[in-house]
């Protein structure tokens, strides 16, 4: 019985601390920092994928590293969800924060699948460049740009709310660039003979296109949140 009482008091103490944080405005920076950590983890996954596309990291090695990055991303999201459940007030709409976090999680999931499929499908290209995926370099650079833009936008939620929407738009445009690279490369592939290499690249490009779409959804969630806040 004594142990149960101790646990109960600890829980009440935790709730009181969170309520005090809300009252003195400390919960907002904490929640923003947790979302920022999730975005940073997704960016690490994109950088790893880019290194693999350049041929600097072997696909099997990248796959193992990506598994660790994904674990970090899952932990960051779980911590954010826990914080949201325990906070009385949030810097922006709670539902939009969930949407933003879910979309960033989807970005990392698709990057994980891109790296995994790159390993499963085997080498792309021919000759000296057979261990690279140069066709994926520009889409991946756009993804990194988009995540950087999203991070900048998030960093201004508390300090400069009026500028968040324009920064989020920049992140969304980066996601649009991923789609443009996807379409351009697909047109180039389909202009040649239909070979197994074409099918491999199409699948990997489609995975990156999915990353770009989720990136756009994350930017939209943040922009929607700021619109609600201004109303």
């Amino acid at each position: 019985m004594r142990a149960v009482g101790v646990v109960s008091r600890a829980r009440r103490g935790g709730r009181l601390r969170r309520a005090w944080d809300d009252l003195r405005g400390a919960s907002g920076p904490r929640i923003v920092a947790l979302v920022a950590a999730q975005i940073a983890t997704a960016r690490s996954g994109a950088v790893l994928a880019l290194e693999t596309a350049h041929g600097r990291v072997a696909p099997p090695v990248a796959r193992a590293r990506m598994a660790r990055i994904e674990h970090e991303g899952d932990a960051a999201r779980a911590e954010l969800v826990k914080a949201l459940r325990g906070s009385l007030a949030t810097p922006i709409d709670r539902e939009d924060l969930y949407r933003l976090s879910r979309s960033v999680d989807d970005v990392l999931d698709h990057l994980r699948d891109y790296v995994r499929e790159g390993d499963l499908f085997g080498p792309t290209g021919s000759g000296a460049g057979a261990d690279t995926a140069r066709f994926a370099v520009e889409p991946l650079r756009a993804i990194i740009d988009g995540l950087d833009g999203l991070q900048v936008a998030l960093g201004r939620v508390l300090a400069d709310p009026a500028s968040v929407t324009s920064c989020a738009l920049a992140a969304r445009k980066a996601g649009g660039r991923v789609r443009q690279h996807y379409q351009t490369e697909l047109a180039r592939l389909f202009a040649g003979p239909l070979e197994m290499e074409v099918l491999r690249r199409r699948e990997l490009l489609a995975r990156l296109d999915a990353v770009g779409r989720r990136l756009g959804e994350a930017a939209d969630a943040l922009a929607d949140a700021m619109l609600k806040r201004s109303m």
Side-chain angles (χ1 to χ4, degrees), residues 108-123:
L108 183 55
D109 284 348
H110 282 295
L111 286 168
R112 173 207 62 200
D113 289 342
Y114 165 80
V115 169
R116 178 189 295 167
E117 289 165 1
D119 182 34
L120 291 173
F121 295 167

Side-chain angles (χ1 to χ4, degrees), residues 49 63 73 88-89 127 147 149-151 155 166 228:
R63 186 175 176 181
L88 299 177
L147 289 168
L150 198 61
Q151 195 74 281
S166 60
K228 291 177 184 177

Side-chain angles (χ1 to χ4, degrees), residues 30 38 43 50 52 81 95 113 144 161 164 178 193-194 203:
R30 177 168 173 263
Q38 193 183 353
R43 188 186 190 279
L50 180 60
T52 308
V81 170
E95 181 181 347
D113 289 342
I144 292 171
V164 173
V178 178
L194 184 60
E203 291 300 312

Side-chain angles (χ1 to χ4, degrees), residues 19-36:
W20 174 242
D21 284 345
D22 287 334
L23 288 173
R24 65 190 179 93
S27 62
R30 177 168 173 263
I31 287 173
V32 168
L34 289 171
V35 180

Side-chain angles (χ1 to χ4, degrees), residues 10-11 29 67 72 78 93 114 116 125 132 142 155 189 191 212:
R11 288 175 177 172
E72 292 173 7
D93 184 83
Y114 165 80
R116 178 189 295 167
T132 68
L189 284 175

